[in-house]
Amino acid sequence: MKKILVLEDEANIRSFVVINLNRAGYETIEAGSGEEALEQLRLNPDVGVALLDIMLPDMDGFEVCRRIRAGNSKIGIIMLTARTQEMDKVTGLMTGADDYVTKPFSPAELTARVDALVRRLGVDDDEKSSTEISSGPFLLNTRNRTLEKNGERVKLTQLEYSIMKLFMENRGKALAREEILDAVWGKGYFGELKIVDVNVRRLRLKIEDDAQEPKYISTVWGFGYKWNV
Ligand code: CA
């Protein structure tokens, strides 16, 4: 979980990122193009987190993200976005990224984001007690970190799994967005609250019968979300 892939075509930014991650104790693998990043991931299946630049010479970072996610739901993905448009961030998260950092970023901010994600992904559930939580048509297996709906596997990222677990452990209770952020991303996370909304929206697309009319995860206006089954 200590190996980080850094995909960035601008050599000076890449070395800035690499130097700071190395200083924070991470091993880094570098890539300057999307193809190179995908190849490096094939060669290094133990990479825990990938940092993906968006503007690249061969394909955009969202496409790289999609291709990584098509075969790997375990890896953590952080998009490095130069643009400030909200849509870019949302697009990145909808393609399966866990977080994003807007350039220019400070070494401290980047390292904090990577630390938070690594910590989140490395958290082992307490396996001594129950390994399954069921709620309505859903069955969550905390040993394998998998989710089934009506007996069929729903593919989740590690963060989506953590959100589902939080919901299923708190059925019928309105959870504040801050509470979800603290529980899933960790108290040290200093990103925006909006990331909760984007992940919930993505989760709804995967688990709801109709994401436009969500019945399992309802919105508690001005507050947060509630799990209803
Ligand atoms: Ca670039």
Side-chain angles (χ1 to χ4, degrees):
M1 199 50 81
K2 281 283 189 182
K3 207 185 262 190
I4 316 286
L5 174 82
V6 181
L7 167 57
E8 167 64 69
D9 59 316
E10 286 169 65
N12 55 338
I13 299 179
R14 192 169 68 235
S15 56
F16 166 80
V17 169
V18 162
I19 286 166
N20 283 291
L21 288 175
N22 291 346
R23 203 171 278 161
Y26 293 106
E27 186 184 339
T28 46
I29 291 167
E30 300 181 41
S33 70
E35 283 298 345
E36 204 183 325
L38 294 168
E39 180 58 23
Q40 285 294 353
L41 284 176
R42 274 189 288 272
L43 298 171
N44 298 279
D46 56 336
V47 166
V49 172
L51 304 183
L52 309 179
D53 182 31
I54 292 171
M55 302 289 278
L56 296 163
D58 56 343
M59 64 182 93
D60 73 33
F62 302 131
E63 179 60 23
V64 179
C65 180
R66 264 189 295 273
R67 293 197 195 179
I68 293 173
R69 273 287 178 253
N72 186 336
S73 58
K74 304 279 181 198
I75 193 170
I77 299 179
I78 299 176
M79 305 303 293
L80 304 178
T81 168
R83 293 172 286 180
T84 49
Q85 286 93 336
E86 285 298 302
M87 268 322 291
D88 279 357
K89 296 172 179 175
V90 172
T91 306
L93 293 166
M94 295 306 277
T95 55
D98 297 301
D99 200 0
Y100 57 85
V101 179
T102 307
K103 295 179 194 172
F105 45 77
S106 69
E109 183 184 5
L110 179 71
T111 308
R113 293 296 186 84
V114 173
D115 286 347
L117 188 54
V118 165
R119 202 163 43 238
R120 180 61 250 159
L121 301 178
V123 166
D124 287 318
D125 291 298
D126 183 8
E127 291 169 0
K128 292 174 200 74
S129 51
S130 155
T131 60
E132 288 184 341
I133 304 172
S134 73
S135 178
F138 298 97
L139 183 66
L140 195 75
N141 185 310
T142 60
R143 191 182 299 263
N144 304 328
R145 299 174 70 88
T146 55
L147 176 73
E148 287 180 3
K149 179 183 180 186
N150 294 321
E152 294 205 15
R153 180 78 168 269
V154 180
K155 279 183 81 176
L156 300 179
T157 66
Q158 293 294 302
L159 278 174
E160 289 162 356
Y161 165 84
S162 299
I163 298 170
M164 273 303 287
K165 182 161 181 277
L166 183 68
F167 277 138
M168 290 175 71
E169 287 173 339
N170 291 281
R171 63 190 68 172
K173 181 186 170 207
L175 296 171
R177 293 150 86 224
E178 291 84 353
E179 203 176 339
I180 299 172
L181 192 73
D182 282 353
V184 174
W185 280 264
K187 285 200 189 296
Y189 181 84
F190 55 102
E192 298 161 46
L193 214 45
K194 197 178 192 62
I195 197 168
V196 173
D197 303 321
V198 176
N199 272 276
V200 166
R201 198 187 317 167
R202 195 169 70 195
L203 197 48
R204 279 173 169 161
L205 290 171
K206 294 186 176 185
I207 66 155
E208 294 285 352
D209 303 332
D210 176 1
Q212 302 304 316
E213 300 277 339
K215 65 173 183 180
Y216 302 118
I217 305 173
S218 62
T219 301
V220 183
W221 294 105
F223 183 74
Y225 299 96
K226 192 172 79 166
W227 182 252
N228 293 311
V229 281

